[in-house]
Amino acid sequence: MKRHFCSYLSMFAGVYVLLALIVLLNIIFLIRTDELGGINAIVDKQVKGGGLYSGHHGVIDVKFENYKRKKPKIIALGSSRSLQIRDYFFTEPFYNIGGEARSLLQAYHILDRFFGVHKPEVVILYLDYWWRFSNEDKRPPVNPNYMRRTVTSAVAPIAALLDNRLQIGQYFDIISGKLTYTGPIQRIGFGALTTLGGFGPDGSHYYNLQGNMLPVNQRISDKTRFIRDEPVPSGRLDFGLLRHLQAELKQQGITLISILAPLSQKTLKLARQKKGYSYITELRRHLVEDVPNAYDFFDLSPYGASDCEFSDSMHAGEVANMRIIYEISKSENSPLLRYVDPKSLKSMISKHANGVTIANNAIGDAFRASINQQYDEC
């Protein structure tokens, strides 16, 4: 009996020691990645040092804290296709809360949460052509905790390993100090360390800062999976919910600018060969006709953009997005005119045409050599 008790005790002690070791390793990992202090500490570092963040905390949670502090007059919202809109496009405070709105209903939820702490003057909403615009959709109930994610820091690295956001070799390289960064820009979070990318202090996202962007003929491919070959049923298209959002924001003194996000020329050419493209034709026409302050930039070629200005088939880069903001601001009655300097935008576009990234800030200064490699082929 005594022998069995000792065996159980030894097994329990072994499990306890193993768990304690895992927790200790995770704490060392979080110290190395600057994530041990939580979201407030991360935002403190971004505000002070202008660093990049990509780690285990929810994107919306980190952006919410940044937004609460910055209190911007202009915000950008949408899926990942809205993430290349930067603060220096504008002359007034800007923050990009994009990346997680993959439908109009999600956009409502995110705005409800963020407007609970501050209301901007302008919302730039990027619409994806695969979003559902249906008269069946109704305004969702307010959810102030939408996408709020509670993460226990001590187990967060294990969760990242399990969902393949982090490789086991990277985990131990970070703990040992082999994988580290001592450059002029802080890299906060394991994602920023392993990919040299992440969200900047204005909420926009930076890719390929290590200078390994693929040539344009390799990064632009046929990503038209959202355009079906069969015709889209008639009667589906309805902008009632989008107009309702616009009216609701207008009552609060907020201007909504809706933008149909662009495709690369190569992908657009392939998309036009699908029968389902007839829906896109109707979407483009009715959006501008039926919704005030709505703009169709699905095809950017009339505005001078080439595929060299796209990060991939679906994502317009920074220069292409600057073209969009510039084109909207050109009109005397533009809702953006008081928030931008069109001459400055035009000058930057001319200087960086056929490029993907400008990074007219400390991040760009730190990685200018690798960013300039993006211009070599075009």
Side-chain angles (χ1 to χ4, degrees):
M1 185 75 175
K2 185 177 180 181
R3 183 181 300 172
H4 287 302
F5 176 77
C6 290
S7 297
Y8 285 128
L9 186 62
S10 298
M11 184 172 63
F12 176 78
V15 171
Y16 181 82
V17 170
L18 178 61
L19 291 175
L21 179 61
I22 291 173
V23 171
L24 177 61
L25 288 174
N26 286 347
I27 290 173
I28 295 172
F29 178 92
L30 293 170
I31 291 172
R32 299 283 196 194
T33 60
D34 278 334
E35 291 186 277
L36 188 61
I39 290 176
N40 283 324
I42 289 168
V43 174
D44 286 343
K45 291 167 186 171
Q46 277 205 305
V47 170
K48 183 178 180 180
L52 297 169
Y53 175 73
S54 177
H56 70 265
H57 289 288
V59 170
I60 288 296
D61 290 331
V62 177
K63 288 194 172 188
F64 180 79
E65 182 61 31
N66 256 309
Y67 171 90
K68 185 167 63 174
R69 297 189 191 190
K70 192 163 189 175
K71 295 181 171 53
K73 290 187 177 182
I74 315 153
I75 62 172
L77 175 64
S79 67
S80 58
R81 302 172 81 206
S82 67
L83 287 174
Q84 296 297 293
I85 306 175
R86 314 264 198 230
D87 57 0
Y88 51 82
F89 289 17
F90 306 95
T91 56
E92 298 286 349
F94 165 85
Y95 193 75
N96 193 319
I97 66 171
E100 297 294 328
R102 300 179 180 90
S103 70
L104 190 53
L105 293 176
Q106 285 186 320
Y108 258 106
H109 282 304
I110 293 170
L111 289 176
D112 283 340
R113 178 179 174 186
F114 279 65
F115 285 4
V117 296
H118 169 73
K119 294 178 181 178
E121 296 176 6
V122 177
V123 174
I124 299 172
L125 177 62
Y126 266 42
L127 311 175
D128 292 320
Y129 65 86
W130 59 83
W131 283 14
R132 190 176 87 158
F133 297 99
S134 169
N135 56 13
E136 298 176 1
D137 292 329
K138 306 300 180 185
R139 200 250 191 259
V142 175
N143 180 4
N145 293 314
Y146 183 71
M147 294 189 78
R148 190 185 302 276
R149 201 174 85 187
T150 302
V151 180
T152 303
S153 292
V155 299
I158 303 303
L161 285 168
L162 292 175
D163 62 20
N164 292 319
R165 289 181 294 131
L166 179 69
Q167 304 303 312
I168 189 68
Q170 294 172 331
Y171 175 76
F172 285 109
D173 283 347
I174 289 173
I175 290 173
S176 67
K178 182 179 179 181
L179 180 54
T180 186
Y181 178 73
T182 56
I185 296 297
Q186 278 189 305
R187 291 159 63 179
I188 309 164
F190 69 85
L193 282 173
T194 57
T195 67
L196 190 45
F199 295 95
D202 66 349
S204 68
H205 201 277
Y206 290 84
Y207 306 92
N208 299 300
L209 291 177
Q210 64 270 57
N212 65 349
M213 180 171 283
L214 293 171
V216 67
N217 64 333
Q218 294 181 37
R219 68 177 188 262
I220 308 295
S221 61
D222 179 14
K223 282 193 176 181
T224 57
R225 61 188 181 277
F226 293 103
I227 300 179
R228 300 182 301 220
D229 283 322
E230 71 273 15
V232 178
S234 60
R236 171 188 171 188
L237 197 59
D238 185 282
F239 293 107
L241 188 61
L242 182 59
R243 289 196 299 269
H244 181 276
L245 175 60
Q246 187 167 54
E248 186 176 317
L249 295 186
K250 186 176 180 180
Q251 288 181 343
Q252 302 175 63
I254 302 168
T255 299
L256 176 67
I257 298 173
S258 302
I259 296 171
L260 187 60
L263 283 183
S264 65
Q265 286 301 300
K266 180 180 178 180
T267 308
L268 189 56
K269 182 178 179 180
L270 293 166
R272 285 175 174 144
Q273 299 172 15
K274 292 180 175 283
K275 294 178 181 178
Y277 190 79
S278 59
Y279 167 71
I280 305 298
T281 302
E282 291 298 298
L283 172 65
R284 296 178 67 183
R285 180 167 65 88
H286 287 292
L287 175 67
V288 177
E289 291 178 356
D290 298 350
V291 182
N293 289 335
Y295 298 86
D296 171 20
F297 288 104
F298 195 65
D299 180 1
L300 274 181
S301 62
Y303 308 103
S306 70
D307 280 0
C308 289
E309 294 181 5
F310 278 73
S311 301
D312 59 33
S313 304
M314 311 290 291
H315 295 84
E318 183 179 344
V319 182
N321 278 285
M322 186 176 285
R323 291 183 189 275
I324 291 173
I325 301 302
Y326 170 69
E327 291 297 329
I328 295 174
S329 70
K330 283 167 59 176
S331 167
E332 291 183 0
N333 299 319
S334 168
L336 277 183
L337 186 57
R338 57 179 287 213
Y339 300 98
V340 301
D341 180 353
K343 290 183 179 179
S344 176
L345 291 178
K346 185 177 181 180
S347 175
M348 278 192 282
I349 292 167
S350 177
K351 181 178 179 181
H352 297 281
N354 289 323
V356 178
T357 308
I358 300 174
N360 188 29
N361 52 22
I363 294 173
D365 293 341
F367 300 104
R368 188 62 57 197
S370 58
I371 289 173
N372 286 343
Q373 293 178 22
Q374 300 172 7
Y375 295 80
D376 290 346
E377 61 171 324
C378 298

